[in-house]
Amino acid sequence: MKEITTKLLVIGAGPGGYVCAIRAGQLGIDTVIVDAGRPGGTCLTVGCIPSKALIHAADEYFMARRMADGGNRLGISVASPAIDLGKTMDWKDGIVGRLTSGVTGLLQKARVKIVHGRARFRDGKTVEVTTETGDQLIRAENIVIATGSEPVALPNLPFGGNVISSTEALALRRVPERLVVVGGGYIGLELGTAFAKLGSQVSVVEATPRVLPQYDAELVRPVLRRLKELGVRVLTETSAKGLDSDGQGLMVEAGGATETITADKILVTVGRKPRMEGWGYEELDLDRTGRFLRIDERCRTSMRGIYAIGDVTGEPMLAHRAMAQGEMVAEIVAGQKRSWDKRAIPAVCFTDPEIVGVGLSPDEARATGVEIKTGVFPFSANGRAMTTAWEDGFVRAVARSDNHVVLGLHAVGQGVSELAAGFSLAIEMGARLEDVAETTHAHPTRGEAIQEAALMALGHALHL
Ligand code: FAD
Ligand code: NAD
């Protein structure tokens, strides 16, 4: 068996693993990265990027359809728009291909050795990799587990046939006529909205009293309005019981009453779980926190020399958290003094309209025992929002009453995902309401609503 010895071995080349390996390579650390699939992991191949490509195509098609129906006030008319989902998927696959080869190029540039194969721990310092050309043994001083996550299946609705996960949904070649989405969280609402715009008749089945329970009700309200406009049926406090006898419908139950919803595809999006199988967890002595690997503020596991990053380590399961952890671990292995000191991790939900949140909501801030000031500025009073004909939504600022330090910035509205950078910077820099309010924001942009929300919290908004 071929043997390699290295300073750092990274298992998994998703956003966590590949960023860790690139940074380690930049720092001159002898690094090997192993992945059983394509570099980029879930995010680039079946997650963030493919879903955002589909959402964009759905938006464009929907807009064209609205124009064809005479449903716009801009004076544009379009004749008979149509979509060939197969071609859309080919375009999406092209983007994925460009990004995965881009990651390979970046790893090579950083002099990281890439091994294509499935890794399995033999012990805390040795990993066996099964590759197409035979097995390899890799001995490493430091090992990073970045094996990511996978979709959760429902016992009464296992994946297969018409019951699909996001991975299959992002590879469909035809728009399903009737789509039932089980789970009204991030993926369910992002993809459910996209398919509704592509022409599917969509129903969302959510177990809890409201969809997107991760965000407060105020932020979700415009999304619910839009789902209604799109004809999406949202059933809350409803549980999926399983397929009906001919496999063409989903049986659901709410408050003791049952119903069968006819469906061509049933998309199950009830969460993701850490990938804990197939890499030899059993051979090690790693502590867990619930389902996830337990890590400390330096991403160290309970075994010396073994780190873990990304989705396998817990919530929020987001690509940018995985990347930030990966970068930090590479610097720690290089001997730098680093620990997790982020004030907040931004969260964006690419629904229609989009939701973005950094830091604490008003209720979360109050729950910490501090007195707060809030400012909410609606896009209906923002010139740029008016010129794009999408005025629904607002920006909200939450700050401490005593020293005005900003604790949270949230928004819901068209294109607000791009406000995440400014929100994160303000909170990471410890900005006060006055810092945000006194920063000159370009006109006309939706960003002016951030300044106005801060002014609002200070009691003197200019444009409201
Ligand atoms: P992953 O990206 O899951 O990568 C893990 C890698 O490890 C994989 O490549 C896998 O092949 C490899 N691996 C596992 N076991 C082994 C083994 N034994 N040997 C070798 N290789 C192995 N996050 C966002 O921040 N924004 C979004 O918009 C967003 N959209 C999403 C949309 C969808 C549909 C999905 C499913 C997820 C989305 N996410 C989004 C979440 C994001 O994809 C994950 O948080 C991110 O990919 C986690 O990165 P990771 O490095 O921890 O793991
Ligand atoms: P999720 O946790 O966002 O949502 C799952 C939803 O399913 C919840 O609302 C939950 O109450 C509901 N649910 C659970 N069991 C159910 C059942 N038996 N019947 C009906 N509903 C049920 O999970 P997801 O949408 O699968 O996404 C997984 C993760 O991927 C997210 O938590 C997020 O970390 C990541 N992601 C992020 C983005 C983004 O950043 N824009 C996009 C997609 C995915």
Side-chain angles (χ1 to χ4, degrees):
M1 192 187 297
K2 195 175 152 195
E3 285 194 25
I4 314 176
T5 301
T6 186
K7 167 111 173 166
L8 175 65
L9 168 64
V10 182
I11 302 176
Y18 85 70
V19 166
C20 182
I22 290 173
R23 184 70 189 121
Q26 288 173 345
L27 291 163
I29 298 170
D30 184 21
T31 306
V32 177
I33 191 164
V34 184
D35 201 297
R38 284 199 281 172
T42 304
C43 179
L44 265 55
T45 61
V46 293
C48 327
I49 296 296
S51 60
K52 269 76 246 181
L54 184 71
I55 289 167
H56 176 69
D59 281 347
E60 296 281 298
Y61 174 59
F62 181 71
M63 190 69 83
R65 268 179 43 204
R66 256 179 36 140
M67 287 174 177
D69 293 344
N72 75 94
R73 291 168 288 151
L74 276 58
I76 305 169
S77 54
V78 169
S80 320
I83 187 157
D84 176 342
L85 192 63
K87 279 192 182 162
T88 309
M89 291 297 175
D90 293 343
W91 166 73
K92 177 264 295 180
D93 290 341
I95 299 166
V96 171
R98 271 169 58 202
L99 286 170
T100 55
S101 34
V103 169
T104 304
L106 292 170
L107 288 165
Q108 287 164 342
K109 189 176 150 207
R111 297 179 201 279
V112 173
K113 182 172 171 48
I114 307 169
V115 176
H116 298 283
R118 186 157 294 283
R120 193 178 170 82
F121 278 90
R122 250 194 201 179
D123 57 48
K125 294 280 175 215
T126 326
V127 168
E128 212 173 296
V129 185
T130 314
T131 76
E132 275 183 3
T133 53
D135 291 353
Q136 283 192 24
L137 202 66
I138 306 179
R139 294 183 204 284
E141 224 174 282
N142 301 281
I143 303 179
V144 177
I145 302 168
T147 51
S149 63
E150 56 199 4
V152 169
L154 287 174
N156 53 3
L157 208 58
F159 293 120
N162 286 337
V163 181
I164 59 173
S165 74
S166 53
T167 302
E168 292 75 42
L170 290 167
L172 289 175
R173 311 282 305 175
R174 284 184 47 214
V175 177
E177 210 172 296
R178 291 152 307 184
L179 175 73
V180 178
V181 177
V182 181
Y186 272 98
I187 304 180
L189 288 197
E190 287 187 3
L191 296 188
T193 305
F195 279 103
K197 289 179 177 174
L198 291 170
S200 298
Q201 192 184 311
V202 177
S203 307
V204 177
V205 174
E206 165 61 44
T208 70
R210 58 186 197 84
V211 293
L212 289 180
Q214 301 89 334
Y215 295 96
D216 59 84
E218 203 181 5
L219 288 166
V220 178
R221 212 164 287 130
V223 175
L224 286 173
R225 273 199 290 274
R226 187 74 170 133
L227 289 170
K228 201 169 169 199
E229 271 170 35
L230 291 169
V232 175
R233 191 173 167 218
V234 178
L235 297 103
T236 50
E237 291 182 274
T238 303
S239 53
K241 291 289 163 201
L243 291 179
D244 68 355
S245 51
D246 61 5
Q248 297 299 304
L250 176 72
M251 295 184 300
V252 299
E253 195 242 288
T258 56
E259 183 191 339
T260 299
I261 310 174
T262 316
D264 302 296
K265 296 285 177 203
I266 298 165
L267 169 59
V268 177
T269 56
V270 292
R272 292 178 64 83
K273 59 177 181 186
R275 196 176 281 118
M276 295 293 289
E277 277 162 25
W279 50 265
Y281 167 72
E282 318 71 54
E283 310 302 325
L284 305 173
D285 191 16
L286 296 171
D287 289 350
R288 286 164 83 147
T289 304
R291 301 172 301 167
F292 299 100
L293 285 180
R294 186 166 70 76
I295 52 166
D296 67 7
E297 71 292 348
R298 290 184 168 77
C299 289
R300 292 179 298 199
T301 65
S302 49
M303 285 179 74
R304 184 186 288 269
I306 301 185
Y307 298 81
I309 57 175
D311 284 9
V312 77
T313 64
E315 306 274 2
M317 288 192 260
L318 297 174
H320 41 279
R321 169 177 173 268
M323 292 192 218
Q325 289 178 321
E327 189 189 20
M328 181 184 80
V329 167
E331 294 183 355
I332 290 170
V333 171
Q336 297 183 16
K337 279 210 162 26
R338 289 285 315 270
S339 70
W340 190 258
D341 59 356
K342 310 283 177 215
R343 288 191 176 208
I345 299 169
V348 176
C349 192
F350 294 83
T351 37
D352 181 4
E354 294 173 345
I355 302 177
V356 53
V358 185
L360 304 179
S361 70
D363 284 345
E364 288 166 343
R366 277 186 209 103
T368 67
V370 294
E371 279 199 27
I372 59 163
K373 280 179 178 296
T374 59
V376 178
F377 190 81
F379 284 120
S380 55
N382 172 275
R384 181 63 182 147
M386 289 180 203
T387 63
T388 59
W390 290 100
E391 296 174 28
D392 207 3
F394 56 84
V395 174
R396 184 181 68 201
V398 179
R400 289 178 67 113
S401 291
D402 53 2
N403 57 12
H404 296 180
V405 167
V406 179
L407 300 173
L409 285 164
H410 289 79
V412 54
Q414 197 218 13
V416 294
S417 53
E418 295 300 333
L419 302 185
F423 286 7
S424 300
L425 190 64
I427 291 187
E428 206 59 53
M429 301 287 288
R432 293 174 313 120
L433 287 172
E434 288 79 356
D435 298 318
V436 179
E438 288 166 24
T439 300
T440 306
H441 286 69
H443 177 76
T445 63
R446 284 182 178 264
E448 287 171 277
I450 311 174
Q451 186 178 13
E452 290 283 3
L455 282 169
M456 195 90 179
L458 291 169
H460 49 94
L462 290 166
H463 291 90
L464 201 70

